Amino acid sequence: MKVNADLHCHSGASGGVGDLNIEKVAETMPLKGIELLGTGDCLHPKWNATLKEILNEFSEGVFSPTFDSDIKFILQTELIFTCAVKTGRKSVHIIFLFPSFEVVDKIIALFEKWDVKNTIGRPFIKCEDKNDVAEKLYQMNKIDDLIEIIPAHVMTPQGVFGSNNPINHLEEFFGDSVELIHSIETGLSADPIILGLIPEFDNLTLLSNSDAHSHHLARLGREFTTLEVKTLSYPAIINAIRTNNIVRTAEFNPAEGRYFLSGHRAGKKGHNDKFCVFSPKYTPKNKICPICGKKLTIGVLERAFELSIAQGGNRELGFLPKNSRPFVHMVPLVEIIAESYGIKSTTSKKVLREYQRIMAVLENECDMWFMKPEKIEAKLEGVVDDALIRNIVEVRKGNFTFEPFGFDGTYGHLVIGETRDYLNVNISPKSPQRTLM
Ligand SMILES: [Zn+2]
Ligand SMILES: [Zn+2]
């Protein structure tokens, strides 16, 4: 059976915007077409207690809410491991999946032994060096070898290959425990094409997750992975991840991702309303911001090129490893609706009303991205405005871009009806406030 899974979320305990509430999530997930969700923050005392109260075991390691609902959960958290690497002290976000509440309780006890402060949703695990990282991951693995360790959003600044104190091989951070890693999360600013530049990923499973901090339609399920499993159970899910039994991934468009290109956003200290953004070819050689004189935030695309060279890949953009799986690019439907009506907020009443109208005739949003444009058109005729239908179909056909592309923590802004290949960006440093080809 096929399962649409989004295995990386956060509760309110992780900070950021909003808070995940199981009842609200249960309303959003069927609309999006997500069947299996990571609980987020399952080690956090308060959220852990809520989860124990509100979830019943549906099958081995898979949980359903105590109220009437078809949605399912698995126990998940994100942890931040830090250790010294040759470029400085590096922090790496890592997703963990757990087979049961008992195992989660044993991990909490282990963290007490390690003196980990477990009062935030995403605790820090401070390590001396890569050997210490490996030692700690092996200790966790010893509790249960079905605990899955997935480096999160690998290319963003906080990911293992991110621009903060960069390293060029997984081993430089994970030491020997690299053998415990079977998969990585692509992150919002990267897709299989970009990650295809990096030889070390050739034999790993690529997973896509939303990293949502709220139940909102623009966040939950904005990336997901369709897994092929024999039964809907935790061991079967882990087996699918470890054997790359992935049907497809649905990707956020990298150009919309907050770390796609290199640059400094407006509003940064010394910037006022000026910003600078560079495609890899045009980033200043010293990687220094021409406006404020500080180090630029290096984007995902540029890091992928650097890693390709460092790992001896010499690959052209567009190369897909033989183990890669089919994927599509999506734009959250609420963003298309908001853009169509010139509304800023994707949670406004008008946007949600139109969204509900569309979902009354389409199965769910995820399915829409795998539907032929003509079919979408036929189904929506007379249901919503023609202009909105046209915009949805344009996006489904790939006729859209972002202006500017995402960089330094800012999402790209959707423009429908124009195309600009995200893989072919040429942004020059000559006019740093507004740098487009
Ligand atoms: Zn993270
Ligand atoms: Zn700057």
Side-chain angles (χ1 to χ4, degrees):
M1 64 190 285
K2 292 177 181 44
V3 188
N4 290 339
D6 178 356
L7 301 176
H8 180 185
C9 290
H10 290 279
S11 76
S14 279
V17 272
D19 69 305
L20 212 72
N21 158 314
I22 300 283
E23 285 86 359
K24 283 186 179 155
V25 164
E27 286 170 24
T28 307
M29 281 172 65
L31 292 169
K32 295 292 288 195
I34 301 296
E35 294 144 323
L36 180 72
L37 196 72
T39 57
D41 306 348
C42 69
L43 305 177
H44 186 268
K46 221 171 125 199
W47 188 238
N48 181 284
T50 305
L51 293 173
K52 280 179 178 160
E53 200 183 292
I54 210 160
L55 297 179
N56 285 333
E57 194 158 22
F58 164 80
S59 63
E60 196 181 345
V62 172
F63 298 83
S64 53
T66 46
F67 54 87
D68 186 31
S69 167
D70 289 334
I71 60 166
K72 305 287 182 292
F73 291 90
I74 61 173
L75 299 169
Q76 170 261 320
T77 195
E78 185 178 38
L79 300 172
I80 305 176
F81 274 68
T82 73
C83 88
V85 295
K86 60 176 184 277
T87 44
R89 203 165 174 86
K90 189 167 183 66
S91 298
V92 173
H93 289 199
I94 307 172
I95 305 159
F96 288 81
L97 307 178
F98 302 100
S100 66
F101 277 113
E102 279 134 60
V103 168
V104 165
D105 289 342
K106 283 183 189 164
I107 295 291
I108 293 171
L110 180 67
F111 282 12
E112 269 166 34
K113 236 172 73 190
W114 290 348
D115 242 351
V116 169
K117 194 172 156 223
N118 191 27
T119 50
I120 43 173
R122 198 165 27 194
F124 285 86
I125 318 291
K126 291 193 190 94
C127 305
E128 303 263 314
D129 54 18
K130 65 176 183 178
N131 297 327
D132 195 13
V133 170
E135 169 60 25
K136 289 199 160 68
L137 288 175
Y138 278 122
Q139 280 190 45
M140 291 176 76
N141 179 259
K142 228 173 115 190
I143 288 177
D144 197 312
D145 62 10
L146 281 181
I147 295 175
E148 196 61 11
I149 303 165
I150 310 167
H153 41 77
V154 282
M155 304 299 291
T156 67
Q158 304 80 12
V160 64
F161 281 149
S163 59
N164 287 346
N165 299 321
I167 56 169
N168 291 329
H169 296 276
L170 293 171
E171 193 275 336
E172 290 171 57
F173 188 85
F174 289 104
D176 292 343
S177 68
V178 80
E179 67 174 2
L180 300 176
I181 295 166
H182 313 97
S183 63
I184 50 138
E185 181 188 60
T186 60
L188 302 177
S189 303
D191 66 7
I193 294 182
I194 293 170
L195 298 185
L197 287 167
I198 301 161
E200 272 201 333
F201 293 157
D202 285 1
N203 295 316
L204 296 176
T205 300
L206 303 187
L207 297 173
S208 289
N209 303 307
S210 70
D211 199 352
H213 288 245
S214 83
H215 65 278
H216 291 309
L217 291 159
R219 299 281 182 260
L220 197 79
R222 59 190 164 170
E223 289 211 348
F224 68 91
T225 303
T226 306
L227 305 155
E228 179 72 48
V229 288
K230 282 214 174 75
T231 56
L232 189 55
S233 69
Y234 183 88
I237 292 158
I238 299 307
N239 187 50
I241 293 173
R242 292 184 181 178
T243 59
N244 202 5
N245 212 346
I246 304 297
V247 181
R248 64 190 184 194
T249 58
E251 311 277 333
F252 201 64
N253 195 290
E256 184 174 8
R258 294 194 297 158
Y259 294 101
F260 182 59
L261 292 180
S262 305
H264 268 174
R265 64 182 182 271
K268 234 183 164 92
K269 209 172 164 218
H271 272 248
N272 298 322
D273 57 351
K274 286 186 180 171
F275 66 91
C276 59
V277 51
F278 305 105
S279 63
K281 203 171 144 194
Y282 291 105
T283 303
K285 282 242 151 36
N286 57 9
K287 297 193 176 10
I288 295 295
C289 170
I291 300 171
C292 73
K294 298 225 168 69
K295 249 198 237 163
L296 287 166
T297 306
I298 299 303
V300 161
L301 190 60
E302 184 158 350
R303 277 296 292 147
F305 282 121
E306 289 173 358
L307 283 155
S308 185
I309 294 164
Q311 293 187 7
N314 294 322
R315 291 174 177 180
E316 295 285 326
L317 205 48
F319 172 87
L320 279 168
K322 69 174 189 321
N323 292 332
S324 70
R325 297 292 181 257
F327 68 95
V328 289
H329 286 140
M330 310 186 294
V331 176
L333 181 56
V334 284
E335 281 179 29
I336 304 173
I337 301 170
E339 182 59 26
S340 294
Y341 291 104
I343 299 168
K344 259 203 158 140
S345 165
T346 54
T347 56
S348 84
K349 279 203 179 106
K350 168 84 177 160
V351 171
L352 296 182
R353 203 163 52 229
E354 296 303 310
Y355 186 91
Q356 293 286 0
R357 278 197 184 128
I358 294 170
M359 286 312 132
V361 290
L362 298 181
E363 277 284 288
N364 59 58
E365 186 180 338
C366 289
D367 273 0
M368 191 188 89
W369 293 102
F370 297 92
M371 226 177 244
K372 288 216 164 70
E374 307 80 62
K375 194 171 168 194
I376 299 174
E377 220 162 4
K379 285 203 170 220
L380 293 185
E381 211 196 314
V383 175
V384 288
D385 289 353
D386 287 350
L388 176 54
I389 299 175
R390 213 163 37 239
N391 279 342
I392 294 170
V393 170
E394 284 291 290
V395 175
R396 176 66 189 86
K397 285 180 177 166
N399 297 330
F400 66 97
T401 185
F402 299 90
E403 176 60 57
F405 289 166
F407 69 102
D408 192 30
T410 50
Y411 288 108
H413 179 82
L414 178 64
V415 179
I416 299 169
E418 274 175 41
T419 46
R420 188 154 61 102
D421 186 356
Y422 73 101
L423 297 175
N424 223 337
V425 278
N426 279 319
I427 296 181
S428 109
K430 284 188 188 125
S431 50
Q433 304 92 310
R434 190 124 187 96
T435 44
L436 299 171
M437 61 181 170

